[in-house]
Amino acid sequence: MPMSCKSCGSLNQSKFTAEMAIHFPGMKNIDEPVVWVFSELTVCLDCGTAEFTVPKAEVHKLAKGDAAAAG
Ligand SMILES: [Zn+2]
């Protein structure tokens, strides 16, 4: 049973693998290292909505970096 797109309800979705470099936004975070995420990406071929899950280790890095940026 294929999943339908959360945005438009289309069943026309494809899975891809992706490498993403996640940046912390803003000039104050320019020295923060990027967080690399290797994940499976589901793309809706009708509206372009993409969905992926960040692995736990990278979620931790994002949470830590965000706290460091705020403090
Ligand atoms: Zn869609």
Side-chain angles (χ1 to χ4, degrees), residues 9-65:
S10 169
L11 294 176
N12 193 15
Q13 298 189 106
S14 274
K15 286 194 171 179
F16 302 91
T17 53
E19 304 87 47
M20 277 165 284
I22 301 183
H23 298 256
F24 294 94
M27 281 304 285
K28 65 178 179 178
N29 295 320
I30 201 133
D31 293 330
E32 283 286 325
V34 299
V35 176
W36 281 98
V37 174
F38 300 87
S39 186
E40 192 174 73
L41 187 68
T42 303
V43 179
C44 174
L45 300 179
D46 280 323
C47 75
T49 294
E51 201 176 318
F52 67 96
T53 302
V54 177
K56 276 216 166 83
E58 279 69 37
V59 168
H60 185 68
K61 284 181 201 168
L62 291 174
K64 225 171 108 184

